[in-house]
């Protein structure tokens, strides 16, 4: 047998090195059987029948980075083991492998050394002018080209550090923003029993004005729900700052309203300002994995019951101090609770990142980890080179995907669940002070008693969302809370009937508010996370979220009409409608 034939039959090194180096490589490669995106290398066609038994894999660093264009891809300290290895199994089945952990840097050095020693040549060479490298074998032939961007390595500790920074710096801050938003939206209920209704009423008195002030907000809120799609088009730090500034100014201007028509106009403008902010859960999906989203959404949404609790406590203090002041207590309440948003808007400009790559509090390495950890959350590009994933067009909305959700029954199911839940979610916070007054409590006592149910809801929402992420399930907990809320509303609806015969001021009526409020707040959190999880890319997530908001926010148009003054003190119709709505939520989620 000739020397050339013997050389052809000799097994070719896996990554441009010796057989020992290939064995070392295989020892540290772990197959990922659960990999859903099927990242596979394409093998070069065999040059002979004997070479069909062997295959080559490529080693290449990440090529889809937006922020690493200036990085030196040579043997620099920046690599720190961040080299991706796409390989195939010994049997040649094309299964992808990922290497993680403390061996990555050591293995990289072995590979580079083996590449340099084999054949006396360098182990890597440029690929089509890109900032990437391919291994070369002893004969100098190039390795095969992967169809996707290669895997990057990072340790679990690095990932946890990035997530902790996002939790502390981003999630907590947007929760504060939402708390201010919900505070400015719902404090009208506290202002009503603080004297607003008497000061703004016309002569002769018109009973429907307060309900129109509530409805005007939600009509504008629904009409401008399309603004939740702008999160992909406008830099987040600009968009959020403008929204927060707008609703802060408008909420403060409610203090100078001289009649209900003026207040209704201001509430309409307030609805426009807050409509765009509904896209915050969609925005958080840019930073967190799907199974992490419910708890972060819960932190954000839990600001709503916290805001209501805070509003009631603050209203009690303002009314107490404003009784002897020159300014009407309800005007002072609008001014004090609205102006902080103006200050926070200035801070938001510098705090809110547009993407993980623009977060100022992340190091260069952490920005790379933040991007890489979300790679599997997105579908792989089809028939495109890896570098095309960073093209400008990929960062915008795809109209085909946005419109595709209109044919998705799951998107309509979550939208209907959100509609039914919002009938309770939007009505109880603005009517509870009035309901408590109808139970026989004074205005001051009603403000104080309105706070505890929402404080309890705040704590249980966080616990429920954490359990939901741990279980990686939404429906079971959603159904449980929907049934609990339906039970609370049923007690309130039947309190004045022959079934229960409770006095208007009965403690049992007040205690029934707790499961009612806790239940619908939890359902809102789980439904929002469920909606985003059910869509496979950002365009569909944006479209699904917008559909859920447009349909769901029609619920408040019904909810704000459920508690007319003539139904006091039991409000049987309103409580009964909410009980049936929450029961319907449980049925839909279970089906």
């Amino acid at each position: 047998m000739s020397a050339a034939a013997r050389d052809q039959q000799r097994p070719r090194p896996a990554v441009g090195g010796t057989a020992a180096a290939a064995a070392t490589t295989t020892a540290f490669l772990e197959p990922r059987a659960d990999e859903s995106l099927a990242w596979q290398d394409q093998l070069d066609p065999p040059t002979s029948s004997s070479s069909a038994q062997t295959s080559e894999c490529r080693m290449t660093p990440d090529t889809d980075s937006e922020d690493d264009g200036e990085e030196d891809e040579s043997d620099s300290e920046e690599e720190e083991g961040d080299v991706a290895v796409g390989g195939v199994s010994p049997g040649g089945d094309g299964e992808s492998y990922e290497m993680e952990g403390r061996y990555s840097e050591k293995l990289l050095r072995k590979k580079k050394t083996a590449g340099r020693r084999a054949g006396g040549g360098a182990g890597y060479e440029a690929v089509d002018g890109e900032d990437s490298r391919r291994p070369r074998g002893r004969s100098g032939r190039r390795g095969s080209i992967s169809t996707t961007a290669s895997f990057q390595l990072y340790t679990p500790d690095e990932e946890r550090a990035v997530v902790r920074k996002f939790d502390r710096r981003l999630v907590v801050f947007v929760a504060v923003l939402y708390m201010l938003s919900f505070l400015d939206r719902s404090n009208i209920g506290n202002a009503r029993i603080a004297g607003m209704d008497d000061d703004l009423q016309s002569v002769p008195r018109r009973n429907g004005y307060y309900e129109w002030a509530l409805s005007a907000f939600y009509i504008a809120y629904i009409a401008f729900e399309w603004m939740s799609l702008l999160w992909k088009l406008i830099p987040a730090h600009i968009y959020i700052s403008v929204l927060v500034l707008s609703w802060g100014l408008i909420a403060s201007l409610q203090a100078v309203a001289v009649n209900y028509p003026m207040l209704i106009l201001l509430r309409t403008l307030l609805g426009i300002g807050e409509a765009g902010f509904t896209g915050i859960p969609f925005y958080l999906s840019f930073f967190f994995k799907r199974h992490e989203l419910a708890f972060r959404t819960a932190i954000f949404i839990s600001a709503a019951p916290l805001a209501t609790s805070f509003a009631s406590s603050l209203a009690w203090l303002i009314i107490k101090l404003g009784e002897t002041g020159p300014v009407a207590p309800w005007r002072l309440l609008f001014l004090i609770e609205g102006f902080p948003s103006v200050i926070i808007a200035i801070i938001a400009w510098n705090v809110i990142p547009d993407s993980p790559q623009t977060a100022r509090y992340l190091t260069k390495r952490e920005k790379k980890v933040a991007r890489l950890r979300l790679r599997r959350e997105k579908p792989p590009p089809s028939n495109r080179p890896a570098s095309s994933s960073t093209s400008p067009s990929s960062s915008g909305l795809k109209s085909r995907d946005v419109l595709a959700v209109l044919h998705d029954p799951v998107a309509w199911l979550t939208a209907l669940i959100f509609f039914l839940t919002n009938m309770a979610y939007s009505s109880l916070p603005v009517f509870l002070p009035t309901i408590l007054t109808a139970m026989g409590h004074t205005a001051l006592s009603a403000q104080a008693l309105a706070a505890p149910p929402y404080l309890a809801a705040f704590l249980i929402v966080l616990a429920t969302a954490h359990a939901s992420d741990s279980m990686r399930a939404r429906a079971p907990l959603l159904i449980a809370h929907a049934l609990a809320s339906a039970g609370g509303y049923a007690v309130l609806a039947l309190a004045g009937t022959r079934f229960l015969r409770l006095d208007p001021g009965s403690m049992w009526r007040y205690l029934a508010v707790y499961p009612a409020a806790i239940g619908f707040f939890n359902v809102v959190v789980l439904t929002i996370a469920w909606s985003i999880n059910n869509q496979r890319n950002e365009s569909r997530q944006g479209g699904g979220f917008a559909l859920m908001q447009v349909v769901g926010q029609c619920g408040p148009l019904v909810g704000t009409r459920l508690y007319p003054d003539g139904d006091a003190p039991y409000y049987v119709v309103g409580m009964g409608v909410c009980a049936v709505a929450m029961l319907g939520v449980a049925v839909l989620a279970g089906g």
Side-chain angles (χ1 to χ4, degrees), residues 182-183 186-187 190 305-318 333 337 447 451:
F182 205 83
L183 185 67
S186 60
N187 60 7
N190 303 105
L306 187 63
T308 307
S309 176
F310 177 71
S312 298
S313 302
L314 186 59
W316 177 87
L317 180 61
I318 292 174
L333 186 147
E337 294 185 355
Q447 303 286 11

Side-chain angles (χ1 to χ4, degrees), residues 7-20:
D7 183 74
Q8 186 176 17
Q9 290 182 356
R10 183 180 297 115
R12 185 174 290 113
V15 190
T18 64

Side-chain angles (χ1 to χ4, degrees), residues 113-252:
T113 302
R116 293 191 183 98
R117 290 176 180 174
Y124 300 96
E125 63 181 355
V127 180
D128 299 331
E130 297 180 14
D131 195 12
S132 60
R133 293 165 291 185
R134 295 179 183 171
R136 290 190 299 179
R138 184 173 301 176
S139 63
R141 191 168 70 88
R142 292 182 178 180
S144 59
I145 302 175
S146 173
T147 59
T148 62
S150 58
F151 289 113
Q152 284 273 352
L153 306 180
Y154 54 85
T155 67
D157 288 340
E158 287 179 312
E159 182 177 18
R160 283 192 292 268
V162 170
V163 172
R164 281 196 300 267
K165 281 193 175 183
F166 282 144
D167 283 339
R168 291 195 302 262
R169 302 289 188 90
L170 178 62
V171 178
V172 172
F173 187 75
V174 298
V176 171
L177 295 180
Y178 189 67
M179 183 182 74
L180 294 173
S181 167
F182 205 83
L183 185 67
D184 295 337
R185 172 194 319 182
S186 60
N187 60 7
I188 189 172
N190 303 105
R192 185 189 189 190
I193 65 172
M196 181 193 74
D197 201 39
D198 295 332
D199 290 350
L200 298 185
Q201 263 295 350
S202 61
V203 180
R205 184 182 183 88
R206 182 174 176 178
N207 292 328
Y209 266 140
Y210 178 72
E211 286 75 14
W212 272 112
L214 300 178
S215 299
F217 173 89
Y218 287 107
I219 290 172
Y221 202 75
I222 296 167
F224 286 86
E225 279 292 346
W226 56 267
M227 292 172 63
S228 62
L229 295 173
L230 298 180
W231 290 91
K232 288 287 291 179
L233 304 177
I234 301 176
H237 75 283
I238 298 175
Y239 191 49
I240 290 180
S241 299
V242 172
L243 291 177
V244 177
L245 180 64
S246 67
W247 85 54
L249 289 174
I250 296 168
S252 300

